[in-house]
Amino acid sequence: MAGRLNQSSPYYIDNRKRVADLQKAMEREGLDAYVGTRPRTLSFLLDAFIPWRSYVVIPRTGEPILHTFIVDATRVGDETWLSTDNVRAYAPMGGQDPISLITACLTEELGISRGRLGVEDGIATYTAEGNLSHYEYTQLEAALPGWTLVNAHHLVDELSIIKDAGTVARFREASRIVDVGQRAVFEALSNGGWKHLTETVVGGIAALAMRKEGSVSEWNFAGLNEISSGYRTALGACTPPTTKKLAQGEPLMVDLHSMFHLALGDHSHNYLIGPATKRQRRHADNFVDLVQTVLDHYKEGATPSSLAQVMMDRAESLDCSDFLLPGCEHGIGLFGDEWRIGHAMDGPFPYWTNPDHVYQEGEMVICAMQYASLEEGIGFRYENPILIGKRGCEPLSKYPLLIEEIL
């Protein structure tokens, strides 16, 4: 189980140290307690899959206390590193609702009558971000007179930005699993096999192959394994599969997702179902060129804006800039940590990636690029977790960067 790995395991993460580091940050900011609600926070601190609405209460000293939905409390208690007594169920019964339990935990169990309570608030493009709702916020304020609620999500975000060895090892394995899925799809498509397939079946072939290798989820809430063919490849960055049949002369995009100990595999590979036209081949070659150009420029000291400029400059020279969507990455971490890059709210638009965020060694992002000509019914996507280094980056999926023609 993820939260109970032996320290000798390459996938081991010292979650007690993560909690201790957060408690030190709380002390520096004058917080008496912290209530985490975002899946990214729950994954980062508790090392368990926690999909239901949950609240982790973190005191200034001692072990966190988790309040999770009654239907899942027993499983979570079995999988996390927390002591069993510190994983508690909430339910729609008198005194057992989340607000009552959090209030009693703070004021009675921890004995804190007043103080500063760190909470997680904000906005995100990611629907499942898990920030405190207006209802929860107002109910906590009413239940905790003498307490001041302080938005403090940046503390967890700052601690999680540089990936430790156990996290990187998990991502490497999740990416290896995705590559197995991509190979299974290639084999199914080859030698005319594509003629009998739909987008949904392609997604299922990949899912089965990845599950056999140890993946526990096609985690992406935007469509699990995203498969698109024909004109659908040009519809943007969210393409859940349909029952559309694969067809000769059309592009195919295969965006696969795996999960291994909460680390998220994510890799997109593209095909042309032949025979391809010269125009299709030109689009394909341009896209591969652009992706490689951007990958070659990821390193410590680069910024999202500098990389976007590299991408657009190269696109101008290839005469294909009209087909590119802006931007070339999104953030990534353990389950629930997706999209925004960095931790500080210092960009021109709060809760969006600061385009001048300076990458550091040990950061991880998804190199994510989208190329589309809806008029021509063709598009390509590239996604791959990359580990930022001092002089370059390591793409974690090792699947070849090319667009193959399948006959």
Side-chain angles (χ1 to χ4, degrees), residues 299-319:
K299 62 182 177 180
E300 184 176 74
T303 66
S305 57
S306 72
L307 292 160
Q309 191 61 56
V310 165
M311 179 181 72
M312 293 311 298
D313 287 347
R314 183 57 180 160
E316 289 287 349
S317 69
L318 295 171
D319 194 26

Side-chain angles (χ1 to χ4, degrees), residues 71-262:
V71 302
D72 206 24
T74 302
R75 179 196 62 82
V76 172
D78 182 59
E79 294 187 5
T80 183
W81 60 272
L82 291 179
S83 58
T84 303
D85 289 343
N86 281 29
V87 179
R88 303 171 186 179
Y90 69 78
M93 297 182 287
Q96 299 302 306
D97 63 280
I99 302 302
S100 297
L101 291 173
I102 293 169
T103 301
C105 180
L106 291 170
T107 60
E108 298 174 20
E109 184 172 353
L110 299 178
I112 313 172
S113 59
R114 61 181 58 245
R116 285 163 52 85
L117 178 63
V119 297
E120 299 182 331
D121 195 6
I123 190 172
T125 55
Y126 183 59
T127 300
E129 185 69 17
N131 291 311
L132 204 66
S133 72
H134 178 264
Y135 175 81
E136 292 166 325
Y137 191 100
T138 55
Q139 291 294 302
L140 279 173
E141 272 196 321
L144 293 168
W147 284 78
T148 300
L149 274 58
V150 180
N151 190 11
H153 66 81
H154 62 280
L155 300 183
V156 172
D157 295 349
E158 184 172 1
L159 291 172
S160 61
I161 192 169
I162 302 299
K163 304 302 187 275
D164 56 29
T167 300
V168 172
R170 294 181 186 194
F171 268 90
R172 287 196 176 109
E173 178 62 8
S175 296
R176 183 197 68 79
I177 291 171
V178 162
D179 289 352
V180 171
Q182 292 288 5
R183 285 194 292 273
V185 170
F186 174 76
E187 291 169 4
L189 295 172
S190 298
N191 301 315
W194 62 267
K195 296 176 183 178
H196 311 290
L197 302 180
T198 64
E199 293 173 357
T200 51
V201 172
V202 170
I205 289 168
L208 177 60
M210 293 189 294
R211 293 282 179 143
K212 287 181 176 179
E213 292 294 313
S215 175
V216 299
S217 174
E218 297 76 60
W219 55 270
N220 186 328
F221 86 105
L224 304 182
N225 287 329
E226 298 180 71
I227 315 296
S228 58
S229 60
Y231 79 94
R232 297 189 67 250
T233 60
L235 294 181
C238 179
T239 50
T242 70
T243 55
K244 180 184 178 304
K245 294 182 178 180
L246 307 191
Q248 188 176 44
E250 291 189 342
L252 170 66
M253 191 282 301
V254 180
D255 184 1
L256 303 184
H257 304 93
S258 70
M259 187 161 77
F260 177 81
H261 288 306
L262 301 179

Side-chain angles (χ1 to χ4, degrees), residues 292-352:
Q292 189 61 62
T293 298
V294 171
L295 286 173
D296 289 344
H297 284 78
Y298 268 105
K299 62 182 177 180
E300 184 176 74
T303 66
S305 57
S306 72
L307 292 160
Q309 191 61 56
V310 165
M311 179 181 72
M312 293 311 298
D313 287 347
R314 183 57 180 160
E316 289 287 349
S317 69
L318 295 171
D319 194 26
C320 64
S321 59
D322 290 345
F323 306 122
L324 279 176
L325 271 65
C328 44
E329 72 271 283
H330 67 75
I332 200 68
L334 297 178
F335 176 73
D337 182 358
E338 189 187 9
W339 201 256
R340 187 168 60 85
I341 296 167
H343 61 86
M345 294 292 103
D346 55 1
F349 299 99
Y351 294 96
W352 288 81

